[in-house]
Amino acid sequence: MTDLTLYHNPRCSKSRGALELLEQRGLAPTIVRYLETPPDAATLKALLGKLGIAPRQLLRSGEDEYKALDLGNLVLTDAQLIDAMVQHPKLIERPILIAGDKAVIGRPPEKVLEILP
């Protein structure tokens, strides 16, 4: 079976829900508590590639940091947005499940089931 990795925030109900769905299927993903061990820029770029989305689509626009850093400014480059997520991992949308060369944002949590082998 493909290795599974879940970018997880245990304080987030959606993240807990995604983990529960996986566990109910007998799956035990590697858990990355990304607020404690934030991904670096290279890891985020690889993750974005697996998700097939632009950095802006991975941002949590409701966070205070989003507003404080003016991340809604369309002049900002992808590199600047990635750097903001590296410096402020709270800005990263969650949960994210990686299965091989695919990844999905678990919103709603049931979306994680879409990429299971």
Side-chain angles (χ1 to χ4, degrees):
M1 171 171 263
T2 302
D3 286 336
L4 301 175
T5 301
L6 185 69
Y7 279 77
H8 179 61
N9 177 353
R11 297 187 64 195
C12 171
S13 63
K14 304 286 189 236
S15 197
R16 290 191 311 269
L19 180 56
E20 185 176 313
L21 284 170
L22 296 170
E23 289 174 340
Q24 287 172 352
R25 284 158 179 75
L27 302 171
T30 299
I31 303 295
V32 176
R33 291 188 178 200
Y34 68 94
L35 294 178
E36 297 169 13
T37 54
D40 60 19
T43 301
L44 269 178
K45 286 178 190 171
L47 185 56
L48 288 163
K50 290 180 182 191
L51 287 165
I53 63 174
R56 190 168 296 283
Q57 295 171 279
L58 191 58
L59 285 169
R60 294 177 53 83
S61 60
E63 296 295 337
D64 291 339
E65 289 89 344
Y66 183 90
K67 294 169 189 73
L69 297 170
D70 192 28
L71 296 177
N73 184 340
L74 298 178
V75 176
L76 295 174
T77 66
D78 286 353
Q80 288 171 309
L81 297 175
I82 289 169
D83 185 56
M85 288 185 271
V86 169
Q87 299 302 317
H88 306 275
K90 188 176 177 183
L91 290 165
I92 301 170
E93 191 60 80
R94 62 185 180 255
I96 301 168
L97 180 67
I98 302 170
D101 62 351
K102 299 178 191 171
V104 68
I105 298 170
R107 290 194 168 263
E110 294 77 16
K111 292 215 32 114
V112 299
L113 303 177
E114 294 176 2
I115 65 165
L116 293 180

